[in-house]
Amino acid sequence: MSNREVVVLSVGGVRFVTRASTLQQFPESRLARMLNGDDQQFKVVNGEFFVDRDGTLFSYIMDFLRTLQVSLPTDFSDYQRLQREAEFYGLYHLADVLSQEHLLKPRPEILEVRFSLQEMQAFFRIFGSCSTTVETLADQITVFTGQQSGQCWNSPFSSQKPLVPLPLERPSHHDVFFQCGTDCSAGDQFVARYVSIKPDDRKLINGTNVLGLLLDTLFKDGFHLVSTRTVSSEEKVECYSLERMKRPAGLTVTVNQTPGSSRVAQAKKSPVQKGK
């Protein structure tokens, strides 16, 4: 059996097709020994290896053998059962990583949007527990300014009048501040600030519209609204608290050869691509 290139396993009735070299990633494991016919737990039926174990959990074990990375769904909860399966197959490196359950569980990411309306202007301040998220959001938001004639709160952007982009205020890595609306200058001249939020290409001046677009952008990015409260009734400051489950960095098991011993594995964090 050891010279097979393609191996078929039936685990609890779930069929898996893989390469022999994948199962031999850890020579001391039962899956590697199975190919030599040295383990009676694995029966050969019609040319397929059969084992009476959980087929659903085995899919995560196969993913680990193929990538040497532990990356589980955000709603995964069977850490102890998967650790038990890893121990059954003799994959003790995987079992050790699974024992570090706190590193694998997704954690909530908090974002807070403060919104204030003052006459013809609106002010926004965004706080986030993850600086990378705030940085990404700041890259999506552009504020444009320019002097306009006879403009009012609901006036649309006139493409015939040039606007100048303004840098956003970044008090820290975890927050960003910007404003929109009009401010009376001289005569019928107004200093206007428009806000654009990618991928939407509109330039909005109305604070309520900007708030709606901002929240819609965050909802599409996986956040959900947790609560809404009034921070200051006098200054008309509203606070929107949002949350999403942030997937942790994947744990990669690096396998090295050491003289006079079997393989040694160490777990380290590695980035997980966005989009899961």
Side-chain angles (χ1 to χ4, degrees), residues 230-244:
T230 300
V231 178
S232 172
S233 56
E234 294 180 359
E235 298 180 2
K236 298 180 180 179
V237 179
E238 298 177 353
C239 179
Y240 298 82
S241 296
L242 302 102
E243 179 182 289
R244 72 174 173 185

Side-chain angles (χ1 to χ4, degrees), residues 16 54-64 66:
F16 297 87
D54 191 306
T56 301
L57 292 178
F58 189 72
S59 65
Y60 300 115
I61 289 175
M62 283 302 308
D63 182 64
F64 167 73
R66 287 166 174 153

